Amino acid sequence: MDYFNYKKGGLYAENVPLAEIADAVGTPFYCYSSATLERHYAVFSESLAPLDRLVCYAVKANSNIAVIKILAKLGAGADVVSEGEIRRALAAGVPAKKIVFSGVGKTAAEMGFALKTGIYQFNVESEPELFALNEVAESLGKKAPIAFRVNPDIDSGSHKKISTGRKEDKFGIAFADVQNIYDKAKKLKNIEVKGISTHIGSQIMDIAPFARAFAKIRELAEELKAHGTNIERIDLGGGLGIPYYGSDNPPSPRDYADVVKKVMHGLDCKFIFEPGRLIAGNSGILVSKLVYVKNSGGRIFYILDAGMNDLIRPSFYDAYHEIISVKKSTAKKQLVDIVGPVCETGDVFAIQREMPAMKPGDLVAFRSAGAYGATMSSTYNSRPLIPEILVQGGKFAVIRKKLTYDEILASEKIPGWLK
Ligand code: LLP
């Protein structure tokens, strides 16, 4: 459920016509709906009641500080994977005490920054990382609160590039090594063991892999506790899928919460969750303009002003995004290829997609582009990052401006010896 609907013949974000935003800021642009972000957060968090819980929004999905701010105001924490993301979360008003730091390659500098800030938890993914963290904490005279991210060796059934919980994946501590690493951690003076974490993948469309992974984590928690290890927090990661196609039917937050409650029943712990896509995915769209209609090789190409550098998911994961005309159209449908302007054969958003006849200047909207859209964009082909817009009710604001070419070029320098 989202707040992008047709009214008076055109697509709106809440109460703002997208055509009006396009006139004001140009195209392409990302547009986010505050009401949708708020709704998704509330539905997720409330489904998990009455568990003692902390919902840490996975900032990587959409890291604009205005988006994080909306969630922070509702009480969300943040799941971060870099110093940059910690800085964003703090700038948006997330208290350090609600930040969990994930990732396989945290550097000493990043750990030091996080320790000084006083974050809630490090999710440690390897033995070398554990020792590095202990050293950094010692040098700062601090104790680092940790959970080990455990790899439960469960196939999430999602795309291979976004599955993280199989033993061949780079993430987490292999199940067989878990007892051993907790024993090592307990002996380190600047490490404080708090719990277990796991995250098995993203865009997961079936509840069964969650249930299997959570059952393994529950059993592990009991074993560790029996062994005298302090397990007071369990971080179950993110990963719940969202509908991209009309026919997609992911588990609902309630289905997910029911599994968590059933599997974890009676376990005296605080539960942490790291949803990203579920909160942001359907809260955002990408609006782009048709530049040319090209007939070639027996095909019709809709060439847009947005490219793979703005939204890489279709090229990178063969991901499907619904693409609709911003002006409600009754024109006859035809099969077209929808492509970007980037000089790459892979700069294709949709192949042989049924679309109404359209003409240059018409606007299209990519649905479900609020997660892993703007955050994965690049300036390839020297295309400036596009603006991000936030709508709330009848008003909108630019929450990331487009840099001018002068601003972009000013950050580069020709060394003296080349002049
Ligand atoms: N926690 C950890 C440790 C993660 O690695 C991720 C996502 C999340 C939470 C949030 O997962 P979510 O709830 O959003 O599924 N770029 C890909 C998705 C990559 C996900 C990476 N990790 C895409 O566009 O589909």
Side-chain angles (χ1 to χ4, degrees):
M1 145 101 208
D2 63 47
Y3 292 87
F4 299 101
N5 295 304
Y6 286 108
K7 293 179 214 175
K8 302 180 202 149
L11 190 64
Y12 277 58
E14 303 190 19
N15 298 324
V16 183
L18 287 159
E20 186 185 316
I21 302 177
D23 282 344
V25 305
T27 55
F29 62 91
Y30 277 100
C31 177
Y32 312 126
S33 149
S34 307
T36 316
L37 286 160
E38 285 163 358
R39 183 190 144 83
H40 289 173
Y41 177 83
V43 167
F44 185 77
S45 180
E46 283 160 21
S47 303
L48 289 156
L51 286 177
D52 180 12
R53 65 200 182 280
L54 175 61
V55 177
C56 291
Y57 166 63
V59 167
K60 65 172 81 64
N62 185 322
S63 52
N64 189 291
I65 57 174
V67 168
I68 305 172
K69 179 82 186 175
I70 290 175
L71 302 168
K73 282 174 89 170
L74 298 176
D79 162 52
V80 301
V81 291
S82 67
E83 179 172 335
E85 287 191 351
I86 299 176
R87 287 181 183 269
R88 284 179 175 279
L90 294 173
V94 177
K97 276 282 152 249
K98 288 187 179 178
I99 296 179
V100 299
F101 192 0
S102 306
V104 292
K106 304 174 194 81
T107 65
E110 288 178 312
M111 291 169 172
F113 180 79
L115 280 166
K116 282 186 230 152
T117 310
I119 66 163
Y120 188 58
Q121 176 171 305
F122 292 79
N123 288 342
V124 175
E125 303 219 18
S126 66
E127 194 171 306
E129 184 193 334
L130 172 70
F131 290 122
L133 179 59
N134 185 54
E135 246 176 60
V136 178
E138 189 181 354
S139 72
L140 295 172
K142 301 212 179 261
K143 278 194 162 219
I146 70 147
F148 283 108
R149 174 164 171 185
V150 170
N151 181 324
D153 193 19
I154 300 279
D155 188 343
S156 70
S158 189
H159 190 283
K160 67 175 183 337
K161 284 190 184 151
I162 52 175
S163 281
T164 56
R166 303 161 301 180
K167 68 174 184 308
E168 63 271 28
D169 296 323
K170 70 176 177 180
F171 299 99
I173 310 287
F175 225 75
D177 305 332
V178 168
Q179 279 290 0
N180 188 28
I181 201 161
Y182 274 96
D183 287 342
K184 285 186 178 161
K186 282 194 269 180
K187 294 192 192 112
L188 296 176
K189 281 217 292 293
N190 296 83
I191 295 290
E192 219 167 9
V193 174
K194 296 286 189 188
I196 310 177
S197 85
T198 197
H199 170 76
I200 59 170
S202 193
Q203 187 53 13
I204 300 171
M205 298 298 273
D206 180 7
I207 200 71
F210 284 119
R212 267 183 275 135
F214 296 169
K216 280 184 103 164
I217 297 296
R218 159 98 204 217
E219 201 178 316
L220 182 64
E222 307 269 15
E223 276 169 30
L224 287 165
K225 278 177 180 243
H227 195 70
T229 307
N230 178 43
I231 302 294
E232 58 188 84
R233 304 173 187 167
I234 298 198
D235 179 343
L236 294 174
L240 195 50
I242 62 165
Y244 282 92
Y245 285 102
S247 60
D248 276 349
N249 190 19
S252 69
R254 183 154 300 272
D255 298 336
Y256 173 88
D258 285 348
V259 164
V260 173
K261 287 179 210 170
K262 189 164 156 224
V263 174
M264 299 298 169
H265 182 74
L267 193 66
D268 183 23
C269 278
K270 183 180 187 99
F271 293 91
I272 301 166
F273 300 90
E274 303 172 354
R277 189 190 314 264
L278 183 85
I279 308 285
N282 287 320
S283 304
I285 59 172
L286 166 64
V287 176
S288 176
K289 190 180 279 177
L290 195 56
V291 183
Y292 297 113
V293 177
K294 172 172 170 175
N295 286 283
S296 177
R299 287 168 103 100
I300 303 167
F301 294 95
Y302 281 6
I303 303 176
L304 305 183
D305 62 359
M308 64 189 286
N309 67 300
D310 302 309
L311 178 67
I312 204 172
R313 303 192 67 260
S315 337
F316 200 46
Y317 310 109
D318 292 319
Y320 177 95
H321 283 264
E322 196 183 335
I323 304 172
I324 56 176
S325 170
V326 166
K327 192 156 67 180
K328 200 164 174 85
S329 174
T330 50
K332 199 166 144 262
K333 297 253 164 99
Q334 53 188 2
L335 289 179
V336 303
D337 287 4
I338 305 175
V339 303
V342 170
C343 296
E344 291 265 352
T345 312
D347 184 23
V348 173
F349 293 120
I351 294 176
Q352 294 298 284
R353 184 77 65 88
E354 201 169 71
M355 290 291 288
M358 294 178 80
K359 57 180 193 320
D362 287 349
L363 300 175
V364 294
F366 290 69
R367 283 189 174 276
S368 316
Y372 308 110
T375 49
M376 292 182 80
S377 60
S378 77
T379 57
Y380 186 41
N381 279 202
S382 289
R383 292 163 48 80
L385 295 182
I386 64 178
E388 294 179 281
I389 310 297
L390 182 68
V391 169
Q392 188 195 56
K395 55 181 189 274
F396 72 89
V398 176
I399 56 170
R400 181 179 73 191
K401 75 168 191 125
K402 186 172 176 173
L403 296 184
T404 64
Y405 290 110
D406 285 343
E407 284 168 321
I408 294 167
L409 288 178
S411 67
E412 297 179 21
K413 196 165 182 233
I414 296 173
W417 73 82
L418 281 178
K419 281 185 182 149

